[in-house]
Amino acid sequence: MSPKISLTRYLVEQQRMDGHIPSQLRLLLEVVARACKSISQAVNKGALGGVLGTADSENVQGEVQKKLDIIANEVLIEANEWGGHLAAMASEEMDAIYVVPNRYPQGEYLLLFDPLDGSSNIDVNVSIGTIFSVLKMPEDDRGVDEGDFLQPGRQQVAAGYCVYGPQTTLVLTVGDGVAMFTLDREQGSFVLTEENVRIPQDTKEFAINMSNMRHWDEPVKRYIDECLQGKEGPREKDFNMRWIASMVADVHRILTRGGVFLYPWDKREPGKPGKLRLMYEANPMSWLIEQAGGAATNGKQRILDIQPGKLHERVSVILGSKNEVERVTRYHNEAERAGL
Ligand code: AHG
Ligand code: MN
Ligand code: MN
């Protein structure tokens, strides 16, 4: 039987290979994984740990925070602030960036996270997760500020998520494909269970919140309408639908068996580019999807090429199996040409 490869060993080997991961980045990823392990414990305890339910606060986007949103945010900050690998952190749950206090050494990386994705699923015992993205401080920068974070997603040096479901699985890219690690609770370590993850180019499964249908734009309506027509329609095949309402869980399914995920702009709040957050959700997930052979767009532009204008920026997201994403993009282009 081949030996089990732990996350630690995987990262050490990545570091040796072409210097893929500098030692500070390796430390950073180990620390993030440790924090995810601790969040996983809290999630598992549920009502026994008193972690369910709502806190008496709202985040910067005006969303009511759950207790676990706050706990997960604190776990990530406490785990990462003292190691000397980071200059600052930014989180969906914090208004402003968190600069590493000057009692600790400052490193050259920036860490961004959605500490708890799928908050509406916490209390109903459905899969949730943590999403993270790592950037490098711009060179010759004297002091860290919010502007340092405003880099397009293609400049990420690592990205991943940890899904807390029937299994706790950490999924990671450092720009050399996508690897999955399952938490072995007896050993207390993440073990490599999938390497070179590839998404099939075609799919018969889509994920979208259908209750927003009446608010969608023409190209999205057209795409979903054609899927719904099944064998009798222009696609000449029947489609299946899944919507978990945790992006981590939907993306995990797509990385595992293909599919397409859409959270498009809609007319409910026309001034808002979308619901999902570019820096904490769309960028890390888009890089993982691309690294696995899929594609990610906002309908008009590759997500990883978007220049962020602000930290908590939102974006329209369409990602997954390449041929489907290209089709949705084509529908956007055609609608634009037709002036729709
Ligand atoms: P979060 O819990 O971090 O706010 O993110 C929730 C996101 C995403 O995970 C999911 O795909 C989507 O919101 C669900 O939105 P709806 O409730 O509108 O379906
Ligand atoms: Mn989220
Ligand atoms: Mn969240």
Side-chain angles (χ1 to χ4, degrees):
M1 209 176 76
S2 52
K4 284 185 178 174
I5 298 178
S6 65
L7 175 68
T8 304
R9 176 167 166 189
Y10 175 88
L11 293 174
V12 167
E13 286 173 0
Q14 284 280 335
Q15 187 182 346
R16 274 191 207 132
M17 242 177 46
D18 310 325
H20 250 129
I21 316 185
S23 59
Q24 279 214 350
L25 181 56
R26 180 162 71 81
L27 172 65
L28 189 164
L29 294 171
E30 293 256 24
V31 174
V32 168
R34 213 177 304 140
C36 289
K37 227 187 293 176
S38 156
I39 298 168
S40 174
Q41 295 291 358
V43 168
N44 272 210
K45 281 192 186 136
L48 298 175
V51 297
L52 302 186
T54 304
D56 291 325
S57 53
E58 279 188 358
N59 65 15
V60 63
Q61 19 244 322
E63 299 160 342
V64 173
Q65 290 176 306
K66 295 285 170 98
K67 285 185 195 163
L68 263 175
D69 288 323
I70 296 172
I71 294 169
N73 194 62
E74 279 168 6
V75 168
L76 282 156
I77 299 250
E78 277 166 24
N80 279 287
E81 66 178 352
W82 50 268
H85 50 282
L86 284 183
M89 294 177 248
S91 160
E92 182 187 287
E93 301 301 339
M94 297 189 297
D95 299 9
I97 64 164
Y98 180 92
V99 179
V100 167
N102 50 23
R103 61 181 180 278
Y104 302 121
Q106 277 214 355
E108 55 182 347
Y109 291 101
L110 303 170
L111 175 64
L112 300 96
F113 44 83
D114 174 356
L116 216 289
D117 175 67
S119 303
S120 71
N121 283 323
I122 298 171
D123 295 349
V124 291
N125 202 356
V126 171
S127 295
I128 50 181
T130 298
I131 310 173
F132 60 92
S133 160
V134 185
L135 294 166
K136 235 179 143 188
M137 276 282 285
E139 291 197 355
D140 302 327
D141 200 291
R142 274 146 208 262
V144 57
D145 60 27
E146 187 176 314
D148 297 326
F149 284 83
L150 304 182
Q151 306 180 33
R154 62 172 184 273
Q155 284 175 217
Q156 293 171 103
V157 294
Y161 64 81
C162 187
V163 58
Y164 314 115
Q167 302 108 42
T168 287
T169 308
L170 184 86
V171 178
L172 179 69
T173 186
V174 288
D176 183 36
V178 176
M180 295 186 177
F181 303 84
T182 306
L183 180 60
D184 180 336
R185 288 191 190 277
E186 278 137 44
Q187 303 295 325
S189 62
F190 281 102
V191 176
L192 181 67
T193 41
E194 200 73 53
E195 225 176 342
N196 300 322
V197 174
R198 301 304 292 169
I199 302 174
Q201 306 236 311
D202 292 295
T203 183
K204 291 165 136 188
E205 203 160 59
F206 66 88
I208 193 165
N209 184 339
M210 290 288 292
S211 68
N212 297 326
M213 191 174 201
R214 68 192 184 286
H215 306 298
W216 297 337
D217 219 357
E218 262 340 288
V220 175
K221 269 192 189 145
R222 174 182 171 194
Y223 175 72
I224 297 297
D225 183 55
E226 290 181 358
C227 293
L228 295 176
Q229 289 178 53
K231 275 202 183 101
E232 291 76 35
R235 303 300 307 274
E236 298 174 338
K237 59 182 183 183
D238 289 334
F239 278 77
N240 186 26
M241 195 201 88
R242 287 285 183 277
W243 183 251
I244 304 176
S246 290
M247 190 191 198
V248 266
D250 280 313
V251 167
H252 195 66
R253 185 189 59 256
I254 290 171
L255 284 171
T256 308
R257 68 176 190 212
V260 60
F261 169 97
L262 304 93
Y263 211 120
W265 169 91
D266 69 44
K267 293 175 191 137
R268 280 174 298 177
E269 290 178 75
K272 216 155 95 176
K275 172 176 180 179
L276 298 177
R277 277 113 327 192
L278 175 62
M279 311 287 287
Y280 317 111
E281 295 169 320
N283 274 342
M285 292 312 206
S286 297
W287 198 30
L288 286 165
I289 292 284
E290 283 197 5
Q291 281 288 313
T297 175
N298 64 0
K300 298 190 171 120
Q301 192 184 5
R302 178 186 178 222
I303 289 194
L304 296 181
D305 284 337
I306 297 174
Q307 172 61 51
K310 56 179 191 201
L311 201 55
H312 296 290
E313 186 161 318
R314 297 185 190 247
V315 66
S316 169
V317 176
I318 298 148
L319 56 76
S321 291
K322 204 169 187 168
N323 290 339
E324 293 303 304
V325 175
E326 281 175 1
R327 178 181 286 270
V328 187
T329 308
R330 177 156 58 82
Y331 289 2
H332 276 83
N333 292 337
E334 287 174 10
E336 194 166 286
R337 277 201 297 275
L340 291 174

